[in-house]
Structures are given as C-alpha cells and as structure tokens.
mmCIF file of all heavy atoms in Angstrom:
data_model
loop_
_atom_site.group_PDB
_atom_site.id
_atom_site.type_symbol
_atom_site.label_atom_id
_atom_site.label_comp_id
_atom_site.label_asym_id
_atom_site.label_seq_id
_atom_site.Cartn_x
_atom_site.Cartn_y
_atom_site.Cartn_z
ATOM 1 N N MET A 1 10.942 -6.553 13.473
ATOM 2 C CA MET A 1 10.744 -5.850 12.229
ATOM 3 C C MET A 1 11.415 -6.591 11.075
ATOM 4 O O MET A 1 10.863 -6.661 10.002
ATOM 5 C CB MET A 1 11.304 -4.432 12.386
ATOM 6 C CG MET A 1 10.790 -3.475 11.355
ATOM 7 S SD MET A 1 9.021 -3.414 11.099
ATOM 8 C CE MET A 1 8.496 -2.312 12.360
ATOM 9 N N ARG A 2 12.585 -7.134 11.297
ATOM 10 C CA ARG A 2 13.261 -7.869 10.221
ATOM 11 C C ARG A 2 12.450 -9.082 9.788
ATOM 12 O O ARG A 2 12.382 -9.398 8.615
ATOM 13 C CB ARG A 2 14.654 -8.316 10.669
ATOM 14 C CG ARG A 2 15.642 -7.181 10.727
ATOM 15 C CD ARG A 2 17.014 -7.716 11.147
ATOM 16 N NE ARG A 2 17.899 -6.634 11.479
ATOM 17 C CZ ARG A 2 18.768 -6.109 10.630
ATOM 18 N NH1 ARG A 2 18.848 -6.577 9.408
ATOM 19 N NH2 ARG A 2 19.531 -5.105 11.005
ATOM 20 N N SER A 3 11.828 -9.745 10.748
ATOM 21 C CA SER A 3 11.007 -10.909 10.428
ATOM 22 C C SER A 3 9.842 -10.505 9.524
ATOM 23 O O SER A 3 9.539 -11.169 8.538
ATOM 24 C CB SER A 3 10.479 -11.541 11.717
ATOM 25 O OG SER A 3 9.564 -12.559 11.429
ATOM 26 N N PHE A 4 9.207 -9.390 9.841
ATOM 27 C CA PHE A 4 8.099 -8.896 9.035
ATOM 28 C C PHE A 4 8.596 -8.539 7.627
ATOM 29 O O PHE A 4 7.977 -8.899 6.633
ATOM 30 C CB PHE A 4 7.470 -7.668 9.691
ATOM 31 C CG PHE A 4 6.370 -7.044 8.872
ATOM 32 C CD1 PHE A 4 5.130 -7.640 8.801
ATOM 33 C CD2 PHE A 4 6.589 -5.870 8.176
ATOM 34 C CE1 PHE A 4 4.120 -7.086 8.038
ATOM 35 C CE2 PHE A 4 5.589 -5.299 7.420
ATOM 36 C CZ PHE A 4 4.349 -5.907 7.352
ATOM 37 N N ALA A 5 9.723 -7.850 7.528
ATOM 38 C CA ALA A 5 10.278 -7.471 6.232
ATOM 39 C C ALA A 5 10.624 -8.712 5.407
ATOM 40 O O ALA A 5 10.416 -8.735 4.191
ATOM 41 C CB ALA A 5 11.509 -6.597 6.424
ATOM 42 N N ARG A 6 11.133 -9.737 6.055
ATOM 43 C CA ARG A 6 11.476 -10.974 5.350
ATOM 44 C C ARG A 6 10.213 -11.614 4.764
ATOM 45 O O ARG A 6 10.192 -12.029 3.613
ATOM 46 C CB ARG A 6 12.169 -11.944 6.304
ATOM 47 C CG ARG A 6 12.965 -13.004 5.595
ATOM 48 C CD ARG A 6 13.871 -13.780 6.539
ATOM 49 N NE ARG A 6 14.915 -12.933 7.106
ATOM 50 C CZ ARG A 6 15.072 -12.706 8.417
ATOM 51 N NH1 ARG A 6 14.264 -13.248 9.290
ATOM 52 N NH2 ARG A 6 16.035 -11.932 8.855
ATOM 53 N N HIS A 7 9.138 -11.669 5.561
ATOM 54 C CA HIS A 7 7.867 -12.210 5.067
ATOM 55 C C HIS A 7 7.342 -11.362 3.906
ATOM 56 O O HIS A 7 6.834 -11.885 2.931
ATOM 57 C CB HIS A 7 6.825 -12.246 6.181
ATOM 58 C CG HIS A 7 6.919 -13.431 7.051
ATOM 59 N ND1 HIS A 7 7.764 -13.482 8.138
ATOM 60 C CD2 HIS A 7 6.291 -14.619 7.008
ATOM 61 C CE1 HIS A 7 7.631 -14.647 8.726
ATOM 62 N NE2 HIS A 7 6.747 -15.360 8.057
ATOM 63 N N GLN A 8 7.474 -10.057 4.031
ATOM 64 C CA GLN A 8 6.981 -9.156 3.000
ATOM 65 C C GLN A 8 7.738 -9.360 1.687
ATOM 66 O O GLN A 8 7.146 -9.377 0.621
ATOM 67 C CB GLN A 8 7.114 -7.719 3.477
ATOM 68 C CG GLN A 8 6.329 -6.726 2.673
ATOM 69 C CD GLN A 8 6.370 -5.344 3.296
ATOM 70 O OE1 GLN A 8 7.352 -4.978 3.926
ATOM 71 N NE2 GLN A 8 5.318 -4.591 3.112
ATOM 72 N N LEU A 9 9.054 -9.522 1.755
ATOM 73 C CA LEU A 9 9.846 -9.742 0.552
ATOM 74 C C LEU A 9 9.539 -11.091 -0.085
ATOM 75 O O LEU A 9 9.560 -11.214 -1.308
ATOM 76 C CB LEU A 9 11.339 -9.663 0.882
ATOM 77 C CG LEU A 9 11.880 -8.264 1.108
ATOM 78 C CD1 LEU A 9 13.322 -8.346 1.600
ATOM 79 C CD2 LEU A 9 11.800 -7.432 -0.148
ATOM 80 N N ASP A 10 9.263 -12.092 0.721
ATOM 81 C CA ASP A 10 9.004 -13.438 0.217
ATOM 82 C C ASP A 10 7.615 -13.578 -0.398
ATOM 83 O O ASP A 10 7.341 -14.552 -1.083
ATOM 84 C CB ASP A 10 9.156 -14.477 1.328
ATOM 85 C CG ASP A 10 10.596 -14.654 1.771
ATOM 86 O OD1 ASP A 10 11.500 -14.241 1.011
ATOM 87 O OD2 ASP A 10 10.816 -15.184 2.872
ATOM 88 N N SER A 11 6.734 -12.641 -0.124
ATOM 89 C CA SER A 11 5.348 -12.824 -0.516
ATOM 90 C C SER A 11 4.775 -11.591 -1.186
ATOM 91 O O SER A 11 4.895 -10.484 -0.675
ATOM 92 C CB SER A 11 4.515 -13.141 0.727
ATOM 93 O OG SER A 11 3.149 -13.075 0.421
ATOM 94 N N MET A 12 4.146 -11.771 -2.316
ATOM 95 C CA MET A 12 3.386 -10.689 -2.917
ATOM 96 C C MET A 12 1.899 -10.879 -2.619
ATOM 97 O O MET A 12 1.071 -10.140 -3.091
ATOM 98 C CB MET A 12 3.618 -10.640 -4.424
ATOM 99 C CG MET A 12 4.969 -10.058 -4.796
ATOM 100 S SD MET A 12 5.292 -8.431 -4.072
ATOM 101 C CE MET A 12 4.105 -7.428 -4.906
ATOM 102 N N GLY A 13 1.582 -11.882 -1.840
ATOM 103 C CA GLY A 13 0.199 -12.136 -1.452
ATOM 104 C C GLY A 13 -0.065 -11.599 -0.060
ATOM 105 O O GLY A 13 0.779 -10.940 0.551
ATOM 106 N N GLU A 14 -1.242 -11.880 0.429
ATOM 107 C CA GLU A 14 -1.602 -11.441 1.772
ATOM 108 C C GLU A 14 -1.000 -12.378 2.808
ATOM 109 O O GLU A 14 -0.869 -13.575 2.576
ATOM 110 C CB GLU A 14 -3.122 -11.421 1.907
ATOM 111 C CG GLU A 14 -3.760 -10.434 0.961
ATOM 112 C CD GLU A 14 -5.275 -10.427 1.059
ATOM 113 O OE1 GLU A 14 -5.823 -11.096 1.952
ATOM 114 O OE2 GLU A 14 -5.896 -9.748 0.245
ATOM 115 N N PHE A 15 -0.596 -11.825 3.931
ATOM 116 C CA PHE A 15 -0.086 -12.639 5.021
ATOM 117 C C PHE A 15 -0.243 -11.897 6.337
ATOM 118 O O PHE A 15 -0.480 -10.692 6.359
ATOM 119 C CB PHE A 15 1.390 -13.027 4.803
ATOM 120 C CG PHE A 15 2.351 -11.887 4.996
ATOM 121 C CD1 PHE A 15 2.884 -11.621 6.250
ATOM 122 C CD2 PHE A 15 2.717 -11.080 3.939
ATOM 123 C CE1 PHE A 15 3.757 -10.565 6.437
ATOM 124 C CE2 PHE A 15 3.584 -10.035 4.116
ATOM 125 C CZ PHE A 15 4.107 -9.772 5.365
ATOM 126 N N GLU A 16 -0.106 -12.628 7.405
ATOM 127 C CA GLU A 16 -0.123 -12.063 8.751
ATOM 128 C C GLU A 16 0.860 -12.860 9.587
ATOM 129 O O GLU A 16 0.942 -14.078 9.461
ATOM 130 C CB GLU A 16 -1.526 -12.166 9.347
ATOM 131 C CG GLU A 16 -1.687 -11.397 10.639
ATOM 132 C CD GLU A 16 -3.133 -11.365 11.103
ATOM 133 O OE1 GLU A 16 -3.940 -10.693 10.460
ATOM 134 O OE2 GLU A 16 -3.423 -12.045 12.105
ATOM 135 N N VAL A 17 1.655 -12.153 10.410
ATOM 136 C CA VAL A 17 2.662 -12.820 11.224
ATOM 137 C C VAL A 17 2.661 -12.188 12.619
ATOM 138 O O VAL A 17 2.445 -10.993 12.764
ATOM 139 C CB VAL A 17 4.058 -12.731 10.554
ATOM 140 C CG1 VAL A 17 4.512 -11.306 10.402
ATOM 141 C CG2 VAL A 17 5.093 -13.530 11.306
ATOM 142 N N GLU A 18 2.874 -13.008 13.619
ATOM 143 C CA GLU A 18 2.971 -12.513 14.993
ATOM 144 C C GLU A 18 4.448 -12.320 15.310
ATOM 145 O O GLU A 18 5.200 -13.279 15.433
ATOM 146 C CB GLU A 18 2.320 -13.500 15.967
ATOM 147 C CG GLU A 18 2.197 -12.945 17.362
ATOM 148 C CD GLU A 18 1.325 -13.804 18.265
ATOM 149 O OE1 GLU A 18 0.975 -14.929 17.872
ATOM 150 O OE2 GLU A 18 0.998 -13.345 19.363
ATOM 151 N N THR A 19 4.890 -11.057 15.416
ATOM 152 C CA THR A 19 6.306 -10.761 15.644
ATOM 153 C C THR A 19 6.687 -10.853 17.114
ATOM 154 O O THR A 19 7.809 -11.217 17.439
ATOM 155 C CB THR A 19 6.652 -9.360 15.119
ATOM 156 O OG1 THR A 19 5.801 -8.413 15.745
ATOM 157 C CG2 THR A 19 6.487 -9.286 13.611
ATOM 158 N N LEU A 20 5.784 -10.497 17.981
ATOM 159 C CA LEU A 20 5.932 -10.615 19.431
ATOM 160 C C LEU A 20 4.610 -11.117 19.970
ATOM 161 O O LEU A 20 3.587 -11.001 19.288
ATOM 162 C CB LEU A 20 6.255 -9.251 20.060
ATOM 163 C CG LEU A 20 7.574 -8.585 19.655
ATOM 164 C CD1 LEU A 20 7.614 -7.150 20.180
ATOM 165 C CD2 LEU A 20 8.747 -9.369 20.206
ATOM 166 N N PRO A 21 4.578 -11.670 21.171
ATOM 167 C CA PRO A 21 3.299 -12.117 21.716
ATOM 168 C C PRO A 21 2.277 -10.973 21.734
ATOM 169 O O PRO A 21 2.513 -9.914 22.294
ATOM 170 C CB PRO A 21 3.651 -12.560 23.141
ATOM 171 C CG PRO A 21 5.102 -12.908 23.084
ATOM 172 C CD PRO A 21 5.694 -11.959 22.077
ATOM 173 N N GLY A 22 1.177 -11.177 20.992
ATOM 174 C CA GLY A 22 0.111 -10.180 20.938
ATOM 175 C C GLY A 22 0.297 -9.099 19.879
ATOM 176 O O GLY A 22 -0.562 -8.250 19.698
ATOM 177 N N VAL A 23 1.428 -9.112 19.155
ATOM 178 C CA VAL A 23 1.682 -8.109 18.116
ATOM 179 C C VAL A 23 1.603 -8.802 16.761
ATOM 180 O O VAL A 23 2.439 -9.634 16.436
ATOM 181 C CB VAL A 23 3.071 -7.441 18.286
ATOM 182 C CG1 VAL A 23 3.324 -6.446 17.162
ATOM 183 C CG2 VAL A 23 3.178 -6.783 19.640
ATOM 184 N N ARG A 24 0.591 -8.462 15.982
ATOM 185 C CA ARG A 24 0.392 -9.086 14.674
ATOM 186 C C ARG A 24 0.552 -8.034 13.583
ATOM 187 O O ARG A 24 -0.054 -6.979 13.640
ATOM 188 C CB ARG A 24 -0.982 -9.729 14.597
ATOM 189 C CG ARG A 24 -1.183 -10.799 15.667
ATOM 190 C CD ARG A 24 -2.510 -11.490 15.529
ATOM 191 N NE ARG A 24 -2.547 -12.367 14.380
ATOM 192 C CZ ARG A 24 -2.126 -13.629 14.374
ATOM 193 N NH1 ARG A 24 -1.641 -14.149 15.476
ATOM 194 N NH2 ARG A 24 -2.192 -14.353 13.280
ATOM 195 N N LEU A 25 1.382 -8.348 12.603
ATOM 196 C CA LEU A 25 1.604 -7.479 11.450
ATOM 197 C C LEU A 25 1.256 -8.251 10.187
ATOM 198 O O LEU A 25 1.371 -9.470 10.155
ATOM 199 C CB LEU A 25 3.072 -7.040 11.376
ATOM 200 C CG LEU A 25 3.645 -6.335 12.600
ATOM 201 C CD1 LEU A 25 5.127 -6.111 12.413
ATOM 202 C CD2 LEU A 25 2.932 -5.028 12.849
ATOM 203 N N GLY A 26 0.847 -7.546 9.159
ATOM 204 C CA GLY A 26 0.530 -8.229 7.916
ATOM 205 C C GLY A 26 0.355 -7.259 6.778
ATOM 206 O O GLY A 26 0.489 -6.049 6.948
ATOM 207 N N GLN A 27 0.066 -7.817 5.615
ATOM 208 C CA GLN A 27 -0.239 -6.981 4.464
ATOM 209 C C GLN A 27 -1.445 -7.569 3.751
ATOM 210 O O GLN A 27 -1.646 -8.778 3.733
ATOM 211 C CB GLN A 27 0.954 -6.830 3.524
ATOM 212 C CG GLN A 27 1.292 -8.042 2.706
ATOM 213 C CD GLN A 27 2.511 -7.795 1.832
ATOM 214 O OE1 GLN A 27 3.319 -6.914 2.095
ATOM 215 N NE2 GLN A 27 2.665 -8.581 0.793
ATOM 216 N N LYS A 28 -2.247 -6.675 3.217
ATOM 217 C CA LYS A 28 -3.464 -7.073 2.527
ATOM 218 C C LYS A 28 -3.580 -6.219 1.277
ATOM 219 O O LYS A 28 -3.384 -5.008 1.325
ATOM 220 C CB LYS A 28 -4.669 -6.846 3.439
ATOM 221 C CG LYS A 28 -5.959 -7.339 2.888
ATOM 222 C CD LYS A 28 -7.051 -7.219 3.921
ATOM 223 C CE LYS A 28 -8.319 -7.848 3.397
ATOM 224 N NZ LYS A 28 -9.376 -7.857 4.392
ATOM 225 N N HIS A 29 -3.851 -6.838 0.154
ATOM 226 C CA HIS A 29 -3.992 -6.126 -1.105
ATOM 227 C C HIS A 29 -5.447 -5.711 -1.263
ATOM 228 O O HIS A 29 -6.334 -6.546 -1.289
ATOM 229 C CB HIS A 29 -3.552 -7.010 -2.275
ATOM 230 C CG HIS A 29 -2.106 -7.352 -2.213
ATOM 231 N ND1 HIS A 29 -1.184 -6.800 -3.057
ATOM 232 C CD2 HIS A 29 -1.411 -8.156 -1.376
ATOM 233 C CE1 HIS A 29 0.015 -7.262 -2.755
ATOM 234 N NE2 HIS A 29 -0.099 -8.081 -1.741
ATOM 235 N N ILE A 30 -5.665 -4.403 -1.352
ATOM 236 C CA ILE A 30 -7.016 -3.866 -1.487
ATOM 237 C C ILE A 30 -7.058 -2.994 -2.742
ATOM 238 O O ILE A 30 -6.322 -2.009 -2.833
ATOM 239 C CB ILE A 30 -7.390 -3.020 -0.251
ATOM 240 C CG1 ILE A 30 -7.276 -3.861 1.013
ATOM 241 C CG2 ILE A 30 -8.781 -2.431 -0.393
ATOM 242 C CD1 ILE A 30 -7.398 -3.062 2.283
ATOM 243 N N PRO A 31 -7.899 -3.333 -3.725
ATOM 244 C CA PRO A 31 -7.968 -2.505 -4.933
ATOM 245 C C PRO A 31 -8.575 -1.142 -4.622
ATOM 246 O O PRO A 31 -9.433 -1.006 -3.757
ATOM 247 C CB PRO A 31 -8.873 -3.309 -5.871
ATOM 248 C CG PRO A 31 -9.628 -4.233 -4.994
ATOM 249 C CD PRO A 31 -8.797 -4.469 -3.766
ATOM 250 N N VAL A 32 -8.104 -0.136 -5.318
ATOM 251 C CA VAL A 32 -8.640 1.217 -5.155
ATOM 252 C C VAL A 32 -9.293 1.638 -6.466
ATOM 253 O O VAL A 32 -8.925 1.169 -7.542
ATOM 254 C CB VAL A 32 -7.546 2.229 -4.752
ATOM 255 C CG1 VAL A 32 -6.995 1.917 -3.388
ATOM 256 C CG2 VAL A 32 -6.439 2.271 -5.771
ATOM 257 N N ARG A 33 -10.270 2.509 -6.358
ATOM 258 C CA ARG A 33 -11.002 2.957 -7.534
ATOM 259 C C ARG A 33 -10.178 3.943 -8.364
ATOM 260 O O ARG A 33 -10.237 3.953 -9.583
ATOM 261 C CB ARG A 33 -12.298 3.608 -7.079
ATOM 262 C CG ARG A 33 -13.355 3.639 -8.139
ATOM 263 C CD ARG A 33 -14.623 4.166 -7.568
ATOM 264 N NE ARG A 33 -15.521 3.031 -7.400
ATOM 265 C CZ ARG A 33 -16.736 3.131 -6.962
ATOM 266 N NH1 ARG A 33 -17.213 4.288 -6.599
ATOM 267 N NH2 ARG A 33 -17.494 2.070 -6.850
ATOM 268 N N ALA A 34 -9.409 4.792 -7.695
ATOM 269 C CA ALA A 34 -8.618 5.800 -8.405
ATOM 270 C C ALA A 34 -7.387 6.144 -7.581
ATOM 271 O O ALA A 34 -7.387 5.996 -6.370
ATOM 272 C CB ALA A 34 -9.449 7.054 -8.647
ATOM 273 N N ALA A 35 -6.363 6.614 -8.263
ATOM 274 C CA ALA A 35 -5.147 7.051 -7.583
ATOM 275 C C ALA A 35 -4.630 8.292 -8.295
ATOM 276 O O ALA A 35 -4.853 8.466 -9.493
ATOM 277 C CB ALA A 35 -4.094 5.952 -7.607
ATOM 278 N N GLY A 36 -3.973 9.137 -7.563
ATOM 279 C CA GLY A 36 -3.421 10.349 -8.156
ATOM 280 C C GLY A 36 -1.937 10.445 -7.854
ATOM 281 O O GLY A 36 -1.427 9.774 -6.968
ATOM 282 N N ALA A 37 -1.279 11.280 -8.610
ATOM 283 C CA ALA A 37 0.150 11.491 -8.393
ATOM 284 C C ALA A 37 0.473 12.958 -8.615
ATOM 285 O O ALA A 37 -0.081 13.592 -9.512
ATOM 286 C CB ALA A 37 0.961 10.632 -9.355
ATOM 287 N N TYR A 38 1.339 13.470 -7.787
ATOM 288 C CA TYR A 38 1.826 14.839 -7.956
ATOM 289 C C TYR A 38 3.223 14.759 -8.528
ATOM 290 O O TYR A 38 4.092 14.093 -7.970
ATOM 291 C CB TYR A 38 1.835 15.577 -6.620
ATOM 292 C CG TYR A 38 2.515 16.926 -6.718
ATOM 293 C CD1 TYR A 38 1.917 17.967 -7.401
ATOM 294 C CD2 TYR A 38 3.763 17.135 -6.148
ATOM 295 C CE1 TYR A 38 2.544 19.192 -7.508
ATOM 296 C CE2 TYR A 38 4.395 18.360 -6.248
ATOM 297 C CZ TYR A 38 3.778 19.384 -6.928
ATOM 298 O OH TYR A 38 4.396 20.595 -7.036
ATOM 299 N N ILE A 39 3.437 15.408 -9.657
ATOM 300 C CA ILE A 39 4.743 15.400 -10.296
ATOM 301 C C ILE A 39 5.242 16.836 -10.329
ATOM 302 O O ILE A 39 4.739 17.652 -11.104
ATOM 303 C CB ILE A 39 4.664 14.812 -11.718
ATOM 304 C CG1 ILE A 39 4.085 13.406 -11.649
ATOM 305 C CG2 ILE A 39 6.032 14.825 -12.380
ATOM 306 C CD1 ILE A 39 3.736 12.813 -12.976
ATOM 307 N N PRO A 40 6.186 17.177 -9.479
ATOM 308 C CA PRO A 40 6.697 18.547 -9.451
ATOM 309 C C PRO A 40 7.239 18.969 -10.815
ATOM 310 O O PRO A 40 7.925 18.198 -11.481
ATOM 311 C CB PRO A 40 7.818 18.502 -8.417
ATOM 312 C CG PRO A 40 7.558 17.281 -7.611
ATOM 313 C CD PRO A 40 6.860 16.322 -8.519
ATOM 314 N N GLY A 41 6.889 20.164 -11.236
ATOM 315 C CA GLY A 41 7.397 20.675 -12.498
ATOM 316 C C GLY A 41 6.569 20.268 -13.702
ATOM 317 O O GLY A 41 6.858 20.680 -14.819
ATOM 318 N N GLY A 42 5.538 19.449 -13.482
ATOM 319 C CA GLY A 42 4.690 19.044 -14.602
ATOM 320 C C GLY A 42 3.828 20.213 -15.073
ATOM 321 O O GLY A 42 3.532 21.127 -14.325
ATOM 322 N N ARG A 43 3.430 20.195 -16.339
ATOM 323 C CA ARG A 43 2.634 21.291 -16.876
ATOM 324 C C ARG A 43 1.165 20.924 -17.061
ATOM 325 O O ARG A 43 0.345 21.786 -17.318
ATOM 326 C CB ARG A 43 3.211 21.732 -18.203
ATOM 327 C CG ARG A 43 4.583 22.365 -18.013
ATOM 328 C CD ARG A 43 5.065 23.010 -19.261
ATOM 329 N NE ARG A 43 5.553 21.982 -20.187
ATOM 330 C CZ ARG A 43 6.015 22.230 -21.390
ATOM 331 N NH1 ARG A 43 6.046 23.449 -21.848
ATOM 332 N NH2 ARG A 43 6.461 21.263 -22.150
ATOM 333 N N SER A 44 0.812 19.660 -16.974
ATOM 334 C CA SER A 44 -0.559 19.228 -17.193
ATOM 335 C C SER A 44 -1.336 19.240 -15.882
ATOM 336 O O SER A 44 -0.850 18.779 -14.859
ATOM 337 C CB SER A 44 -0.557 17.813 -17.781
ATOM 338 O OG SER A 44 -1.873 17.367 -17.940
ATOM 339 N N ARG A 45 -2.557 19.764 -15.928
ATOM 340 C CA ARG A 45 -3.417 19.743 -14.738
ATOM 341 C C ARG A 45 -4.506 18.707 -14.960
ATOM 342 O O ARG A 45 -5.460 18.940 -15.683
ATOM 343 C CB ARG A 45 -4.060 21.106 -14.515
ATOM 344 C CG ARG A 45 -3.086 22.151 -14.107
ATOM 345 C CD ARG A 45 -3.816 23.433 -13.891
ATOM 346 N NE ARG A 45 -2.882 24.433 -13.407
ATOM 347 C CZ ARG A 45 -3.192 25.319 -12.487
ATOM 348 N NH1 ARG A 45 -4.391 25.362 -11.979
ATOM 349 N NH2 ARG A 45 -2.300 26.190 -12.094
ATOM 350 N N ARG A 46 -4.337 17.556 -14.357
ATOM 351 C CA ARG A 46 -5.323 16.487 -14.495
ATOM 352 C C ARG A 46 -5.709 15.976 -13.122
ATOM 353 O O ARG A 46 -4.878 15.872 -12.235
ATOM 354 C CB ARG A 46 -4.761 15.318 -15.299
ATOM 355 C CG ARG A 46 -4.563 15.639 -16.731
ATOM 356 C CD ARG A 46 -4.212 14.382 -17.463
ATOM 357 N NE ARG A 46 -4.149 14.665 -18.895
ATOM 358 C CZ ARG A 46 -3.983 13.749 -19.797
ATOM 359 N NH1 ARG A 46 -3.871 12.497 -19.457
ATOM 360 N NH2 ARG A 46 -3.947 14.066 -21.050
ATOM 361 N N ARG A 47 -6.973 15.641 -12.987
ATOM 362 C CA ARG A 47 -7.460 15.041 -11.751
ATOM 363 C C ARG A 47 -7.568 13.537 -11.944
ATOM 364 O O ARG A 47 -7.859 13.075 -13.028
ATOM 365 C CB ARG A 47 -8.853 15.591 -11.411
ATOM 366 C CG ARG A 47 -8.808 16.921 -10.759
ATOM 367 C CD ARG A 47 -10.174 17.379 -10.275
ATOM 368 N NE ARG A 47 -11.002 16.282 -9.810
ATOM 369 C CZ ARG A 47 -12.300 16.187 -10.069
ATOM 370 N NH1 ARG A 47 -12.916 17.083 -10.794
ATOM 371 N NH2 ARG A 47 -12.999 15.195 -9.603
ATOM 372 N N ALA A 48 -7.363 12.821 -10.870
ATOM 373 C CA ALA A 48 -7.557 11.370 -10.929
ATOM 374 C C ALA A 48 -9.047 11.112 -11.108
ATOM 375 O O ALA A 48 -9.892 11.786 -10.544
ATOM 376 C CB ALA A 48 -7.056 10.711 -9.647
ATOM 377 N N ARG A 49 -9.378 10.137 -11.942
ATOM 378 C CA ARG A 49 -10.788 9.795 -12.137
ATOM 379 C C ARG A 49 -11.280 8.973 -10.965
ATOM 380 O O ARG A 49 -10.585 8.133 -10.453
ATOM 381 C CB ARG A 49 -10.972 9.014 -13.432
ATOM 382 C CG ARG A 49 -10.693 9.873 -14.621
ATOM 383 C CD ARG A 49 -10.996 9.123 -15.876
ATOM 384 N NE ARG A 49 -10.684 9.997 -17.004
ATOM 385 C CZ ARG A 49 -11.111 9.759 -18.215
ATOM 386 N NH1 ARG A 49 -11.832 8.704 -18.453
ATOM 387 N NH2 ARG A 49 -10.795 10.579 -19.183
ATOM 388 N N GLY A 50 -12.452 9.218 -10.565
ATOM 389 C CA GLY A 50 -13.049 8.508 -9.433
ATOM 390 C C GLY A 50 -14.390 9.118 -9.160
ATOM 391 O O GLY A 50 -15.114 9.489 -10.076
ATOM 392 N N ARG A 51 -14.693 9.286 -7.924
ATOM 393 C CA ARG A 51 -15.995 9.873 -7.587
ATOM 394 C C ARG A 51 -15.990 11.362 -7.925
ATOM 395 O O ARG A 51 -14.998 12.068 -7.701
ATOM 396 C CB ARG A 51 -16.326 9.634 -6.127
ATOM 397 C CG ARG A 51 -15.331 10.255 -5.223
ATOM 398 C CD ARG A 51 -15.622 9.956 -3.798
ATOM 399 N NE ARG A 51 -14.534 10.667 -3.140
ATOM 400 C CZ ARG A 51 -14.531 11.124 -1.947
ATOM 401 N NH1 ARG A 51 -15.545 10.919 -1.205
ATOM 402 N NH2 ARG A 51 -13.536 11.770 -1.451
ATOM 403 N N PRO A 52 -17.093 11.864 -8.446
ATOM 404 C CA PRO A 52 -17.149 13.286 -8.782
ATOM 405 C C PRO A 52 -17.179 14.156 -7.536
ATOM 406 O O PRO A 52 -17.636 13.723 -6.480
ATOM 407 C CB PRO A 52 -18.453 13.422 -9.576
ATOM 408 C CG PRO A 52 -19.237 12.210 -9.263
ATOM 409 C CD PRO A 52 -18.275 11.156 -8.789
ATOM 410 N N ARG A 53 -16.670 15.356 -7.654
ATOM 411 C CA ARG A 53 -16.656 16.293 -6.514
ATOM 412 C C ARG A 53 -17.863 17.170 -6.519
ATOM 413 O O ARG A 53 -18.428 17.546 -7.440
ATOM 414 C CB ARG A 53 -15.418 17.175 -6.570
ATOM 415 C CG ARG A 53 -14.202 16.388 -6.278
ATOM 416 C CD ARG A 53 -13.017 17.314 -6.218
ATOM 417 N NE ARG A 53 -11.845 16.520 -5.970
ATOM 418 C CZ ARG A 53 -10.750 16.995 -5.499
ATOM 419 N NH1 ARG A 53 -10.636 18.267 -5.202
ATOM 420 N NH2 ARG A 53 -9.711 16.240 -5.310
#
C-alpha cells in the first residue's frame, strides 16, 4: 500500500503498478459530466446540472 501511495503522490497523471504478483493498482483520470455536493446547513436547494430526470 505504501508503494501505491508513493506513486500516487508522485504523479497527477495516470499510472498502474504491480504491488504484489498478480495485484495491480492504478489511477485513471475520467472526466464527469456533472458533480454534486451536499453542504450541511446550507439554505440553497440546487441540483447538479447533467442529464434531466
């Protein structure tokens, strides 16, 4: 796990590393169309824009 964390800190790009024989970990940047956030105590009711419901 430390090896994976070290690679993750060193890189903001995509990577893949084999931590144990047959165990591969990595990170991949995938853009999303919309994101939402819940803010406790907020007074505004807004939906994240994206696909219509």
Side-chain angles (χ1 to χ4, degrees):
M1 198 50 84
R2 286 181 192 264
S3 173
F4 176 75
R6 200 168 294 120
H7 277 86
Q8 195 173 31
L9 285 173
D10 290 342
S11 169
M12 285 306 293
E14 297 179 7
F15 73 89
E16 190 172 290
V17 62
E18 189 169 10
T19 57
L20 297 170
V23 178
R24 301 184 72 86
L25 304 174
Q27 73 181 21
K28 186 173 186 175
H29 296 253
I30 302 170
V32 295
R33 202 174 255 182
Y38 172 71
I39 303 170
R43 293 190 283 178
S44 177
R45 291 181 176 219
R46 290 189 174 186
R47 279 187 34 221
R49 292 185 181 196
R51 61 183 180 155
R53 290 185 182 200

